[in-house]
Amino acid sequence: MVSFVLVLVLVLAVLALAGFVMGYNKLRAADVRVAEALAGIDVELTRRASLIPSLVHTVQTFAAHEKTILDHVSTARAAVASATAGRSVAQRSAAERELDTAVGQVLALGQAYPKLNSSANFLDLQRNLADTENKLAFARQYYNDAVATLNRLTTTIPWMFVAGPAGVSEREYYQTPR
């Protein structure tokens, strides 16, 4: 009888350890997926920011006296570069919102300057920006899906008991710029 109890306790201990290891691995994998998704957003933000100097140069050739708008877009580009170097999702979102506003002002100049709007360079940059925006929207959605999975795991039984020892906590969602 004693050996049966001992075997039962040993089996339960092994099952508990296996459950902990599985939970730990599942939570760490979800955490890595969130970090990967955030890096994807950074790639697209950096890609969009890298298009800005060409856009500014193209617009300057047609509308050099619009210096305030061009300075605003350059400042917003620098803010995005700074935000992608940090860990704050809110800071990235705010910098992206500022860049969206600035780029919108620059693109609006195309309406005011018909020669600019017919420039092949300007049209190509508009296409590249639109393509990047589509990729950025997908990257945001992927990140928010990964965060939803992680947050669901960290707040449900039995995974919530493993989240602390695994060093995993809830993450904030990426707010789309408006």
Side-chain angles (χ1 to χ4, degrees):
M1 179 71 174
V2 171
S3 62
F4 175 74
V5 171
L6 190 58
V7 168
L8 183 62
V9 167
L10 184 61
V11 167
L12 289 176
V14 167
L15 287 175
L17 180 63
F20 179 81
V21 169
M22 285 176 28
Y24 182 91
N25 288 340
K26 187 172 191 156
L27 284 165
R28 294 302 304 159
D31 195 46
V32 166
R33 195 172 317 112
V34 168
E36 170 198 338
L38 189 57
I41 291 174
D42 288 347
V43 165
E44 295 307 325
L45 285 174
T46 302
R47 180 174 182 241
R48 184 169 63 172
S50 71
L51 292 171
I52 300 302
S54 298
L55 182 64
V56 167
H57 178 71
T58 300
V59 171
Q60 273 180 332
T61 60
F62 291 96
H65 60 280
E66 302 284 358
K67 184 156 178 47
T68 306
I69 292 174
L70 299 176
D71 288 345
H72 182 220
V73 77
S74 295
T75 303
R77 178 181 181 263
V80 165
S82 173
T84 56
R87 293 196 32 92
S88 171
V89 173
Q91 188 180 17
R92 279 177 178 81
S93 183
E96 183 182 355
R97 184 175 20 265
E98 188 63 29
L99 185 61
D100 283 348
T101 301
V103 168
Q105 291 172 339
V106 171
L107 293 177
L109 290 176
Q111 302 301 320
Y113 297 90
K115 284 186 180 180
L116 174 63
N117 206 27
S118 64
S119 164
N121 229 2
F122 186 71
L123 295 173
D124 186 49
L125 285 167
Q126 279 184 317
R127 272 192 299 279
N128 282 331
L129 283 168
D131 180 51
T132 301
E133 190 58 43
N134 290 337
K135 289 177 181 178
L136 190 53
F138 177 78
R140 280 190 224 109
Q141 181 62 47
Y142 180 71
Y143 172 80
N144 283 340
D145 288 346
V147 167
T149 300
L150 178 68
N151 289 350
R152 189 173 39 257
L153 287 173
T154 59
T155 58
T156 57
I157 296 174
W159 314 118
M160 65 191 294
F161 300 115
V162 182
V168 176
S169 60
E170 286 188 61
R171 297 282 192 97
E172 63 182 312
Y173 289 97
Y174 198 94
Q175 302 298 317
T176 56
R178 297 272 177 216

